Amino acid sequence: MRDRRDLPKDFSWGVSTAAYQVEGAVGEDGRGPSIWDEFVARPGAVRDGHTGEFACDHYHRYAEDVALMRGLGLDGYRFSIAWPRIQPAGSGPANPAGLDFYERLVDALLAVGITPLPTLFHWDLPQALEDGGGWLARDTAYRFAEYAEIVAERLGDRVPAWITFNEPFVHMVYGYALGIHAPGRTLMLDALPVAHHQLLGHGLAAAVLRERGAQVMIANNLSPVWPASQEPADVAAAAAYDALHNRLFTDPLLLGRYPDLSAYGVAPDLGGCVRPGDLELIAGPGLDGLGVNYYNPTRIAAPTEPGGLPFAEAAIEGVPRTAFGWPVVPDGLRELLVGLRDRYGDALPPITITENGCSVADEPGPGGTVLDQPRIDYLAGHLDALAAAVAEGVDVRGYFTWSLLDNFEWAEGYEQRFGLVHVDFTTQRRTPKASYAWYRDLIGAHRVRHAR
Ligand code: GAL
């Protein structure tokens, strides 16, 4: 295999979005408040006071958005289901109007030959559950499984595979440890129960979904970790960071145990929240697929001050950067994928890239076109790296780019644009960018090649 043009025949092409980032319509059809509705109302929490109140108005414009996906020739669409639309207070009976919306969306996708790949939790917890402790509370895992059952009951006959959680690492660290995302808690290492309770929620929901014959995946944010030097202190710090970022949310699922967190002074029972039988539940019969969200590698050095975290983040120099300032290292994706295969061996299920993309400061030019060449370069480089990993024997089944549309980028509001399609947030006008045409042509050429 030389590059992206040689990916296997059955390789799937997709795009990803998430409910709070695109839907808007936060007060409609019985949706209850989520932790993000509460968080965005806090002064200073989100850049320029932006909120997801209207976002891309996808709730009303989903048919137009499905038409854009059809124009790309996609195989799959990864979106998330807003728990507060299904159970406005996080428990109890279903809100039929919420289920109806996702049914309309799923049916619209299937009608044009696009396979729905829903994520059940992409960070928008019902506020009522947060009031009871959120993911710090073990009970939330059980509520999650009930919610999964309600959704599967309605859509399970049309959805072949589900993603339980999106980036439980980011939700724990940004949401509960650092307070950058909702629910805005700043608990540092006391946030660790959030890891266990999300994973327990995954295990409980996975059992419910599997009973119905569905496939179960998770989408983990993973990053190759580079020690800043080969000095033992930097190497040890990198291993400690790797345990937190990569292993904490993947080892229990694939190996049935937590990684060594002794560098953090944390025992294997994560502060007492792991109960007998939990790890068996979390691992279950294994994952049907591992979703990998990859954006960039992380460079780690020994901590400069004693007594704090056992690592310090170091800058990656000499590479291009996205508008967000993230380093662009396409080969990091190959390194990550090969590293996962080497780490987990036979325990590693097939991989799907469930997110990869970049923000570009792109706006329509005089003729109305949006020339986002840096995004095309980013996607091409990462798909070549993916193809290189496949050539090295890693089983990668598909690629879902983040994102279809410019959308609400969490704490950055509407500042960072990740879409293949430009959105004017005043008029809601959608304008496919140059990268949209590039992706469409790449998918089309892949089909033609394999139709021969
Ligand atoms: C991921 C997240 C997405 C999106 C993306 C770009 O961490 O799952 O929702 O925001 O990053 O920052």
Side-chain angles (χ1 to χ4, degrees):
M1 179 168 323
R2 284 163 304 138
D3 58 29
R4 61 186 181 274
R5 286 178 289 262
D6 303 312
L7 284 162
K9 182 177 190 320
D10 295 334
F11 193 79
S12 294
W13 301 96
V15 295
S16 288
T17 66
Y20 189 73
Q21 295 180 274
V22 299
E23 285 178 0
V26 292
E28 282 183 50
D29 294 339
R31 177 188 178 276
S34 84
I35 55 173
W36 272 93
D37 300 297
E38 194 277 338
F39 187 72
V40 299
R42 294 188 199 175
V46 174
R47 179 187 284 267
D48 299 329
H50 290 163
T51 78
E53 189 180 355
F54 301 107
C56 307
D57 196 30
H58 174 75
Y59 190 77
H60 299 114
R61 292 168 200 260
Y62 73 90
E64 182 182 353
D65 295 336
V66 171
L68 284 164
M69 290 184 241
R70 184 186 198 182
L72 283 167
L74 299 183
D75 299 296
Y77 174 44
R78 175 180 175 234
F79 58 98
S80 81
I81 293 179
W83 188 347
R85 287 199 194 282
I86 308 300
Q87 290 177 294
S91 58
N95 168 34
L99 285 168
D100 291 348
F101 168 67
Y102 295 106
E103 184 163 68
R104 288 196 294 278
L105 174 62
V106 162
D107 287 346
L109 291 165
L110 291 172
V112 295
I114 298 176
T115 303
L117 178 58
T119 303
L120 287 165
F121 183 72
H122 201 126
W123 305 348
D124 46 356
L125 191 76
Q127 180 61 37
L129 292 182
E130 181 58 28
D131 296 341
W135 289 108
L136 292 162
R138 186 176 171 95
D139 187 58
T140 301
Y142 293 90
R143 300 287 79 73
F144 179 73
E146 283 172 12
Y147 150 65
E149 184 162 17
I150 291 172
V151 178
E153 177 76 33
R154 176 68 86 90
L155 300 176
D157 58 338
R158 281 155 284 179
V159 169
W162 301 84
I163 293 175
T164 52
F165 282 78
N166 177 68
E167 301 190 354
F169 169 76
V170 175
H171 190 52
M172 176 185 82
V173 172
Y174 278 41
Y176 288 84
L178 302 176
I180 297 167
H181 283 177
R185 307 288 302 268
T186 50
L187 300 169
M188 296 307 285
L189 286 175
D190 290 339
L192 276 171
V194 172
H196 185 62
H197 296 145
Q198 289 184 93
L199 288 165
L200 185 62
H202 164 89
L204 293 164
V208 166
L209 298 169
R210 277 207 188 92
E211 256 170 41
R212 292 164 187 272
Q215 299 214 321
V216 180
M217 301 169 62
I218 194 166
N220 274 348
N221 170 288
L222 300 174
S223 177
V225 180
W226 297 347
S229 80
Q230 286 311 309
E231 291 297 321
D234 287 343
V235 172
Y241 184 78
D242 184 43
L244 190 70
H245 189 137
N246 295 313
R247 305 196 77 130
L248 178 56
F249 296 90
T250 313
D251 284 13
L253 296 167
L254 301 185
L255 305 177
R257 59 171 184 261
Y258 277 112
D260 177 7
L261 294 175
S262 55
Y264 298 85
V266 172
D269 67 351
L270 301 192
C273 63
V274 181
R275 297 194 189 161
D278 283 2
L279 280 159
E280 288 75 9
L281 242 168
I282 289 168
L287 291 169
D288 298 300
L290 176 65
V292 170
N293 294 0
Y294 170 75
Y295 288 93
N296 50 255
T298 314
R299 189 162 168 260
I300 294 293
T304 42
E305 285 166 30
L309 290 170
F311 64 83
E313 199 164 340
I316 295 175
E317 311 282 1
V319 299
R321 290 190 174 267
T322 72
F324 219 136
W326 298 353
V328 179
V329 186
D331 190 60
L333 179 57
R334 186 200 58 78
E335 183 186 331
L336 174 68
L337 294 170
V338 170
L340 285 168
R341 196 263 321 270
D342 293 348
R343 175 170 287 177
Y344 296 110
D346 290 344
L348 183 68
I351 290 174
T352 296
I353 306 303
T354 36
E355 284 184 31
N356 174 247
C358 67
S359 64
V360 176
D362 46 21
E363 287 294 339
T369 51
V370 187
L371 300 175
D372 56 342
Q373 190 62 40
R375 177 169 293 107
I376 295 173
D377 295 344
Y378 184 100
L379 298 179
H382 285 77
L383 282 160
D384 284 350
L386 187 163
V390 173
E392 288 186 48
V394 187
D395 186 359
V396 188
R397 303 279 173 93
Y399 177 88
F400 288 67
T401 193
W402 184 271
S403 179
L404 174 69
L405 304 167
D406 292 340
N407 58 49
F408 177 77
E409 178 51 33
W410 309 116
E412 293 299 314
Y414 295 97
E415 178 76 9
Q416 301 296 336
R417 292 180 174 271
F418 278 87
L420 300 177
V421 176
H422 180 275
V423 177
D424 177 326
F425 293 104
T426 312
T427 62
Q428 290 296 343
R429 187 185 151 87
R430 275 98 163 118
T431 306
K433 304 178 189 178
S435 58
Y436 176 97
W438 178 89
Y439 198 47
R440 176 196 64 206
D441 292 350
L442 178 76
I443 296 168
H446 181 257
R447 294 257 161 70
V448 168
R449 201 168 303 115
H450 289 293
R452 279 189 205 130

